[in-house]
Amino acid sequence: MSVSSKSSGITSNRWFKPVAVTAGALVVALILVLVAQWLRTLQPVQQFLTDYPGHSAIPEGTPTGFPAWLGWQHFLNMFFIVLIIRSGWQVRTTTRPAANWTRNNKGFIKTKNPPTKISLDLWFHLTLDALWVLNGIIFIVLLFATGQWLRIVPTNWDVFPNAVSAGLQYASLNWPVENGWNNYNSLQLLTYFVTVFIAAPLAIITGIRMSGAWPKKAAINKYYPIELARKIHFPVMIYFVAFVIVHVTLVLATGALNNLNHMYASNNDYSWWGFGIFAASIVFTAAAWFLARPLFLRPIASLMGKLSR
């Protein structure tokens, strides 16, 4: 076999798997839509959708609308999550880092043992993690201080059948009526609850366990080994990737202008302000994605530690 034939075979194999996976996913999605549409023709299912339209009643005193701070928090969370996923994937797949970093042991953080040398990619990932956690703390404090937590925490058991109803409506492409300014549908509510109060804490506690800051001889290590943290941390990252994809898709597909105004302009109209702010945030995040490379990271990392090969 000639070199060109081998090269052609390798290229074909490289493209075959993603194409096959994409085609398989489309077939599964089509079957799901057809099954959901068939289910909606059944009288018991129609009665179920009538009894559970897809959203629960909100508790008395639940605030209406989105304050400006929530818009900023939404942007910062999106910004950090995108870069955390990028840097986390680099940490997982890079075999020869462009540089290594060792923390200065003379500043605010001092330890008895010398700091551990880590890759520049891991330094960037941990730095983003720290900023995301700080932003998350501010978010949680404001969430409970303003009563916005009532919008994303289940307070009634009927949220579960309503979530099934909303899922069936989405799957059949006859989507539930959107009224996010006042009340999320139950599937949204449960998804946001899982993201904020389950997935995010899991990402944090497993990330800390895997970091060099975790004490190597701590008694808890016997019950919480680093291998367990790794097995949890990666699926959590996959969850966040899936959440971002589905979230953005539904935001754009279920009334883009109105949804973007909710999230970015804190109003409930169909003007282009929210879209403009969203577009600017995408450009800013894309620029950060481009600049997140050793050429630009080295000068920043050198302010907090020593770089080496």
Side-chain angles (χ1 to χ4, degrees):
M1 182 182 291
S2 65
V3 175
S4 60
S5 298
K6 290 182 179 180
S7 176
S8 176
I10 292 173
T11 302
S12 298
N13 290 334
R14 183 182 302 166
W15 283 103
F16 176 78
K17 187 174 182 179
V19 169
V21 170
T22 302
L26 291 174
V27 170
V28 171
L30 177 60
I31 293 173
L32 180 63
V33 169
L34 293 175
V35 170
Q37 291 181 345
W38 169 73
L39 286 173
R40 294 194 64 167
T41 66
L42 304 179
Q43 197 281 328
V45 175
Q46 293 174 2
Q47 185 60 50
F48 174 78
L49 294 176
T50 300
D51 295 338
Y52 300 100
H55 58 270
S56 297
I58 56 177
E60 186 177 352
T62 301
T64 299
F66 298 84
W69 67 263
L70 196 56
W72 278 102
Q73 282 287 319
H74 188 275
F75 160 69
L76 290 173
N77 270 307
M78 180 272 291
F79 177 77
F80 288 133
I81 282 293
V82 168
L83 293 182
I84 284 171
I85 291 171
R86 178 190 189 277
S87 59
W89 185 252
Q90 285 183 309
V91 169
R92 188 177 179 87
T93 58
T94 301
T95 54
R96 297 185 63 182
N100 291 303
W101 178 84
T102 306
R103 175 178 55 83
N104 290 329
N105 205 24
K106 299 179 181 179
F108 177 73
I109 301 176
K110 295 181 182 180
T111 57
K112 181 179 179 180
N113 297 321
T116 302
K117 181 168 66 174
I118 61 176
S119 69
L120 183 63
D121 292 331
L122 182 55
W123 165 83
F124 185 49
H125 186 66
L126 294 176
T127 301
L128 290 168
D129 286 342
L131 293 172
W132 180 61
V133 171
L134 177 60
N135 185 65
I137 292 172
I138 296 171
F139 171 72
I140 294 295
V141 170
L142 290 173
L143 197 69
F144 283 95
T146 61
Q148 287 287 332
W149 68 272
L150 290 167
R151 294 168 58 89
I152 63 169
V153 175
T155 57
N156 195 311
W157 287 108
D158 73 356
V159 69
F160 296 104
N162 273 301
V164 173
S165 173
L168 181 59
Q169 293 175 65
Y170 279 124
S172 67
L173 301 184
N174 187 1
W175 293 345
V177 176
E178 293 294 324
N179 190 24
W181 185 256
N182 297 313
N183 186 16
Y184 293 127
N185 71 56
S186 293
L187 188 57
Q188 285 179 297
L189 188 154
L190 288 177
T191 303
Y192 296 151
F193 175 80
V194 169
T195 302
V196 173
F197 295 105
I198 297 179
L202 278 176
I204 293 169
I205 62 177
T206 54
I208 292 175
R209 178 64 183 92
M210 293 162 57
S211 75
W214 187 273
K216 293 181 173 57
K217 297 182 179 180
I220 196 176
N221 291 356
K222 179 180 178 180
Y223 307 99
Y224 184 31
I226 192 171
E227 293 78 13
L228 176 60
R230 289 192 179 117
K231 289 179 180 178
I232 297 173
H233 197 73
F234 183 69
V236 170
M237 185 200 77
I238 297 299
Y239 169 83
F240 274 107
V241 171
F243 171 80
V244 170
I245 293 173
V246 174
H247 180 60
V248 172
T249 300
L250 291 179
V251 164
L252 298 178
T254 59
L257 289 182
N258 193 226
N259 289 333
L260 292 174
N261 274 326
H262 290 177
M263 296 158 59
Y264 288 96
S266 299
N267 63 52
N268 190 31
D269 61 27
Y270 290 86
S271 69
W272 287 84
W273 279 107
F275 176 83
I277 299 172
F278 167 72
S281 72
I282 292 298
V283 171
F284 185 83
T285 303
W289 180 289
F290 173 78
L291 294 173
R293 54 188 62 198
L295 176 64
F296 300 102
L297 294 179
R298 282 193 182 99
I300 303 174
S302 64
L303 298 175
M304 294 176 273
K306 180 181 177 181
L307 292 174
S308 61
R309 296 293 299 177

